[in-house]
Structure formats: structure tokens, C-alpha cells
Amino acid sequence: MRVSILADDLTSAGDGAAPFGPARVLLAAPAAPQQDGVLAVDLDTRTGGPERAAARTADAARLLGGSGLLLKTVDSTLRGHLAAEIRAAWQGSGRRTAVVAPAFPAQRRTTVRGVQYVADVPVHRSEFGRDPVHPVRCADLREILPEALLTTPDGTLPRLLGAGGLFVGDAATDADLDRLVAAVPDPADVLWVGSPGLAGALARRFAPAGPPAAPPQPTARAPLVVVGSANPASRRQLATLLRHVPGARLLHTPDDRRDPPALLKDLAERAGAQLADGAVDALVVTGGETAAAVLTAAGADGFDLLDEPEPGVAQGLLTGPPDFRRVPVVIKAGGFGDDETLLRLYRRLGGAA
């Protein structure tokens, strides 16, 4: 089955594709749909306003609407231009039905009577309600999408599908998401909208064999580690890596954060130059926005996703023009977490730290 994933950022693209196994992840929509396999596209709709987000999403949905399975990823905490993107994807896809199920039970993000919760707290009252870029103002999907009908895992969805429409699915467990997916006879009839929880449920039903083992990669002796965070913990972890991996090259933004866009641009250009001139043989980067900027500066158009060694971590090979160096890459959503996580990421590239 041809699977296409429309994502709002690079991290979401990797998270959405990973349950299906090996996939191509692109930084922009392709000129034409892929013939088979799994394709995830970073539409970069977190930046800019809802009109830009809707236009990009609608264009990509029209291009990829013929896929056997079409998934529009959304953040499980409802950040971003949720309503605009869902409506644009639904209209662009040409599908009669859209099923919205943003629950991600593994991260304690659930949907109960249409309300999104994080650790049993309505999401707008959680830390995500104070997000400095996309604060969540409303946890009730019935208010965000007033035209939607609420469905539950008890079997109400099949009775409603015949007439088409927009549906919000409750889910508190992965089993709930499995029942929601099983209630749809033909996945090609539906635009699916959800987070890694729904992606996992779709993969369990339509790609049950699971991903093959990732092929071996060459040992990284001079990896480039790129961190866009000024968090003191991230800086300390970089020092830890340097002690364990003498050949590693480290790049991070300065402590002065007065102009974040300019700092990110400079960081990406410095990283891209090192990748382009062959000075490094692997890349470890944290944060979807930072990763997208670094890959673009290096001349890459995306990466072949080979494995998800742990949640929020994508491992693969950079892709680009015909003569592009296919450098191994590990992308971590958010920060490193702890020292051991950082060292594990390096080991994924064959290092002996």
C-alpha cells in the first residue's frame, strides 16, 4: 500500500512514518507522487500564519490524495494551526470522510468526550497552554472543529461513515485507536488525522509485518553534533560527548538569544559547510526546526528513514542530488534528555563511546 504522510514539521514527519518501517522523508512536497512505499513530507506549517499553513497543506493533499493511506499528522497537544490544516487537508484530499484522533496514549495524551488531556489535565491548562510560540487556548476539539461529530471506540463510527463527514475519535488507550482504525472498511476512503498514536494503529493494521532490520552503516569516526538549544543541560551533555568521543565536532548557538532566527541560520550554515566539504562522516542533531535548517543548508532534500531506535529518534541516511553524500544521520526530537541518551545516539552511528 502506498502511504503518504503530511506533516507540519520534520519531527512529526519522522514520527508519523516510523511505525510503517523504512520511508522517504522530504523537506518539501515532491513534484509528483511516489509510486509505492512510504513517503512523509515536512510542510513546515508551524511557522507563519494559518493561511500559509492551509495553502501548503491543501496543495500537498491534492498531490498525494491518491495514496492508499493518507495521514495528516497533528501535534498530540493541539499546538499549531490545527483547524486550518485539517480542513485544508480534507478538502484537498478529495475524500468524503476525515477521522481526527490526536490521542497518543504512550505519552499520556488522551481524548475523552472530545477533550484533549495531558496526564489527565486538559491540555490548555497544562504546560502547553504556556507554550511561547503556539500556546494552546482550547482543549475541546468540538469547539476547534464545530462541524465535527464525536465518535467513540464502542462502534459508533461504522454507523456514521456512510454519509461522510468530519469525525473526532475518542481514545484513551492504544486498543481504542486500534478499534477506531478497524471500524473503517477501506482506509483509502478516509483522510486520517492524528499523532504517532494513530500512526502506530494504522501501521499495526495495514503494515503488520513490521519494519525490517536497518542495514548496517559505516562506523562514524568524525560525527558532527548540532544543538540549537542554549539550555545549560545541553551544553553540559556536549562536554560529556567530547570527553567520550575525541573525534566529534560540536556546534551550538551562543548564549545570547536576542535574535533566534539569525542564530539558527548561522548555525545551519556552519553545519552545512562542514557536511558539504566532507569534514565529517555523520550527523547528530536535536530539534526538528534545527534539523530542517541544517539539512537544507547542506543541500539535502530529506533523508531515508531506516529505523526509530527509541521514541522521538529517527535514524537514516541523508538524500539529495545524484552526487550527494549520503551521510548517516540521527535526529532527536527536542533535547538529548540525559547524558546516556546522547551517548546512545552516537553509538547508533557505530561509535564506540
Side-chain angles (χ1 to χ4, degrees), residues 78-96:
L78 309 188
R79 289 174 295 176
H81 305 298
L82 201 72
E85 292 182 28
I86 291 173
R87 291 180 181 126
W90 185 25
Q91 181 179 14
S93 73
R95 304 190 177 200
R96 292 189 314 119

Side-chain angles (χ1 to χ4, degrees), residues 1 6 16 32 44 49-50 65-66 90 96 99 118 131 139-140 147 211 225 229 240 250 257 260 287 312 316:
M1 179 183 296
L6 312 178
D44 185 30
W90 185 25
R96 292 189 314 119
V99 176
V118 175
D131 187 285
D140 194 335
E147 68 271 39
V225 181
S229 170
T240 298
L250 312 177
R257 307 290 289 180

Side-chain angles (χ1 to χ4, degrees), residues 327-352:
V327 175
V329 60
V330 172
I331 298 173
K332 172 74 167 66
F336 290 123
D338 54 40
D339 293 357
E340 182 53 35
T341 297
L342 174 58
L343 295 177
R344 282 202 310 274
L345 295 186
Y346 175 66
R347 294 186 193 108
R348 294 297 305 183
L349 295 172

Side-chain angles (χ1 to χ4, degrees), residues 26-60:
L26 295 179
L27 296 172
Q34 84 280 20
Q35 296 302 308
D36 53 29
V38 182
L39 173 70
V41 181
D42 170 16
L43 299 176
D44 185 30
T45 53
R46 288 286 186 93
T47 58
E51 294 81 8
R52 174 182 178 275
R56 286 183 169 231
T57 302
D59 288 346

Side-chain angles (χ1 to χ4, degrees), residues 278-300:
V280 296
D281 59 8
L283 173 66
V284 178
V285 58
T286 67
E289 184 180 10
T290 301
V294 169
L295 267 57
T296 299

Side-chain angles (χ1 to χ4, degrees), residues 186-206:
D186 185 353
D189 289 340
V190 172
L191 168 70
W192 302 92
V193 181
S195 68
L198 180 61
L202 290 167
R204 286 191 291 274
R205 182 166 179 81
F206 300 112

